[in-house]
Amino acid sequence: MRGRRGGHRHPPHRAAPGRHRDGCGHAAGFFSGHWDTLLAAALSFVVVAVTWHAHHKLFIGASGYNATIFWLEVVWLAAEVFLPVATVLDVLGDGVGRAALGTYIGDLLLIVSTMRFQGVVLERTGLVPRSRGPWWARWHVVVTWCVILVLALTFPGVGGYWMLLALVGALVVRMIGLSSARRGSDG
């Protein structure tokens, strides 16, 4: 639109239905209408925080890194950044779709696998001290997420509840570890 002096004039602002005059939507309506999506986003953030913390602990004692660690780090970071996308795919779907659920769980499997391989490379190159304990104590998380992925793809109707097996697996390994520690101190 041209004004009287030939300059451009902006069209009058009209609020769209359901929007305030300032152009912002009704926040309360958005939050109440999308509580499940927001809850999933919050859960996604918690998952990222937990995996980031485990990743941080992996590198606390490291004396350096090499090209293999760097490229594993790139893969790990890409999987971490993709997690919210996988979350949205799962939320936007019906919650039981193989593709969305497999994408989310597969991404978590990639995150934990990459961290485990980083640990192996760090140990084998002498950048961290070798871990003590049985091999399965270091690999149980990867194995558990492989089982969860297979079960979720085979029986998608259960949905994300398959991921609760990760908690069960962690508890079982912890109980076995405590039992072994007690036996070792009794002897």
Side-chain angles (χ1 to χ4, degrees):
M1 293 180 126
R2 292 223 177 248
R4 288 184 198 175
R5 296 185 185 177
H8 290 285
R9 189 179 73 171
H10 295 285
H13 290 285
R14 293 192 183 110
R19 297 185 72 77
H20 292 290
R21 189 145 174 68
D22 65 1
C24 297
H26 295 283
F30 174 79
F31 287 121
S32 66
H34 297 89
W35 65 269
D36 56 341
T37 305
L38 294 169
L39 182 64
L43 181 60
S44 177
F45 179 77
V46 169
V47 171
V48 168
V50 167
T51 56
W52 185 275
H53 183 258
H55 180 265
H56 175 73
K57 284 174 46 176
L58 178 67
F59 282 90
I60 283 178
S63 61
Y65 66 94
N66 58 29
T68 304
I69 293 292
F70 171 77
W71 288 111
L72 286 169
E73 188 70 10
V74 169
V75 171
W76 178 83
L77 188 57
E80 283 284 331
V81 170
F82 184 73
L83 192 61
V85 175
T87 302
V88 169
L89 286 173
D90 197 35
V91 169
L92 292 178
D94 58 7
V96 294
R98 275 189 177 96
L101 191 59
T103 300
Y104 187 83
I105 294 172
D107 191 45
L108 286 170
L109 174 59
L110 181 59
I111 289 168
V112 298
S113 298
T114 305
M115 286 175 29
R116 182 63 278 202
F117 287 124
Q118 285 176 322
V120 168
V121 173
L122 286 168
E123 287 180 14
R124 289 193 177 168
T125 56
L127 295 171
V128 295
R130 291 231 180 231
S131 297
R132 289 192 246 163
W135 68 269
W136 54 264
R138 292 185 301 277
W139 284 94
H140 83 276
V141 174
V142 174
V143 172
T144 301
W145 281 102
C146 285
V147 169
I148 291 169
L149 180 61
V150 169
L151 289 171
L153 293 176
T154 305
F155 307 105
V158 176
Y161 291 111
W162 285 119
M163 292 184 278
L164 293 174
L165 290 175
L167 294 174
V168 172
L171 289 173
V172 167
V173 168
R174 183 174 205 112
M175 288 176 10
I176 291 171
L178 290 174
S179 175
S180 298
R182 283 192 196 122
R183 270 187 274 131
S185 65
D186 291 343

